[in-house]
Amino acid sequence: MSVFDSSNFDDHESVHLFSDPESGLKAVIAVHSTARGPAAGGTRMWHYQTDQDAIDDALNLSRAMSYKNAMADIPFGGGKGVIIHPDGKINRRQLFEAYGRAIDSLGGIYCTAEDVGVSTSDMTHVSRHTKFVGGLDQGKAASGDPSPVTAEGVFRGLHVAVKNRLGVDSLSGLKVAVQGLGHVGYSLCEKLAAAGAKLWVADINQAAVKKAEHDLGATIVDPADIHAQRADIFAPCALGGAINSESIEEIKASIVGGAANNQLDTSDMGHALMRREILYCPDYVINGGGIINVAAELSGKYDPRWVDQKLDGLADTLAQIFVISNNDNRPTNEIADQMAQARINAAD
Ligand code: NAD
């Protein structure tokens, strides 16, 4: 099948491949849509089995960014950067400076920030060569690591979900199974623990789970079993595909809501969750906090009140999706896709 016909391609406006042998940079920048503004989305650095896997990941993630930015109601289209993690030792400064030059060569159709495997100091290197970058910890409008704001958006979204599904106003006493204790997952756990929730956690990084056990009273679970806990909420906060044909039948939580991008391995998993009476919080709606924070920085004037209002807006949008899903008896992911596409079409 030609790349143009693949479901991942989905009419991307452009896809760019960059290589810089000196630094070891091999990167993909996918620009899905600029209908609502320049394409914005983080950069992921990860080990991929094949170059095609990296391209597919960039395409999937950039389409989700178009939807995410539309649902967050920010003036950006969707794009994503993927850096193929070089083998062996890397010079991060050299690598991310080369990446900054790559972004700059696109002339502003794509703006970046952090995603999995990328830190604020990496973004500082990027910023030496382009102004189309956010999530910086220095500068006039610097907004820093977006992860805590992503976690705050998920936390507010989970309140909407428990109200809808369990009829309660608080997370106190609820059991939450969190998959992945990275930048967002750990921050979410801190908020959940402070709100009185009971935590079950898994990560392939032992130091992270030990810290959660020690500091937050969390119970450590094998990563292979975290989705199957008898919890009220399953919160995927690692990589994509947590809801797949194998895990779906084992999920016992009544709500799925977390930070990870592309949680549904295939979109029919949304139907499967609905059939099992599990309320799914569409990932690109509930995890839009980080990009809202980056958008505030990219506007040139960081305003925390604007960010706070936008986070409340995300929670309201989620509530609206739940109501429509219930009234129409259709999965929440379908409702969200339809709303996002309508917002993009309206801007075209
Ligand atoms: P991160 O790299 O800091 O954390 C990911 C964590 O998942 C790591 O601790 C890793 O060890 C763990 N992990 C990986 N595979 C696992 C497995 N099989 N089981 C359990 N744990 C596993 O990344 P992050 O920034 O916290 O992002 C987490 C997710 O949220 C990603 O999908 C990311 O795309 C998404 N997201 C992040 C942001 C943000 O602001 N950082 C915004 C929106 C969406």
Side-chain angles (χ1 to χ4, degrees), residues 61-299:
L61 290 162
S62 86
R63 175 180 41 198
M65 285 312 302
S66 292
Y67 286 10
K68 186 187 301 199
N69 295 342
M71 293 305 257
D73 196 22
I74 56 175
F76 287 95
K80 195 84 184 180
V82 161
I83 297 176
I84 298 171
H85 202 302
D87 293 331
K89 203 167 149 37
I90 56 173
N91 178 333
R92 292 186 88 97
R93 178 178 178 145
Q94 212 185 7
L95 186 79
F96 281 94
E97 286 197 359
Y99 185 60
R101 288 192 292 275
I103 291 176
D104 206 57
S105 73
L106 298 177
I109 59 167
Y110 170 67
C111 304
T112 201
E114 299 87 348
D115 189 45
V116 174
V118 174
S119 67
T120 47
S121 69
D122 296 327
M123 286 299 128
T124 304
H125 301 321
V126 170
S127 72
R128 285 196 195 96
H129 295 278
T130 186
K131 61 182 181 196
F132 305 116
V133 54
L136 299 172
D137 52 15
Q138 277 172 16
K140 185 161 66 77
S143 65
D145 178 7
S147 308
V149 187
T150 304
E152 176 62 23
V154 173
F155 184 65
R156 292 189 195 184
L158 290 180
H159 278 88
V160 176
V162 298
K163 176 81 182 165
N164 181 287
R165 183 47 51 106
L166 306 174
V168 296
D169 291 313
S170 149
L171 295 164
S172 180
L174 297 185
K175 183 173 168 184
V176 188
V178 182
Q179 178 185 52
L181 300 187
H183 289 89
V184 186
Y186 199 89
S187 174
L188 177 65
C189 283
E190 289 175 325
K191 290 172 190 293
L192 291 167
K198 299 186 195 116
L199 297 174
W200 272 254
V201 297
D203 198 297
I204 49 177
N205 171 3
Q206 282 309 299
V209 287
K210 287 275 177 214
K211 185 165 159 37
E213 180 184 46
H214 182 266
D215 294 356
L216 308 175
T219 302
I220 300 174
V221 178
D222 190 303
D225 299 330
I226 188 71
H227 64 281
Q229 295 306 299
R230 282 203 183 280
D232 297 293
I233 300 170
F234 170 44
C237 296
L239 297 180
I243 316 297
N244 53 52
S245 56
E246 280 171 27
S247 64
I248 184 87
E249 295 305 328
E250 295 170 0
I251 296 172
K252 298 179 188 73
S254 43
I255 294 164
V256 171
N261 283 313
N262 293 345
Q263 291 172 29
L264 305 182
D265 194 34
T266 53
S267 67
D268 61 340
M269 288 296 132
H271 271 284
L273 285 169
M274 191 176 80
R275 266 197 306 277
R276 298 204 55 229
E277 298 187 352
I278 298 168
L279 181 65
Y280 172 61
C281 305
D283 45 14
Y284 60 77
V285 181
I286 199 169
N287 74 10
I291 197 69
I292 287 173
N293 209 47
V294 170
E297 176 175 353
L298 291 172
S299 76

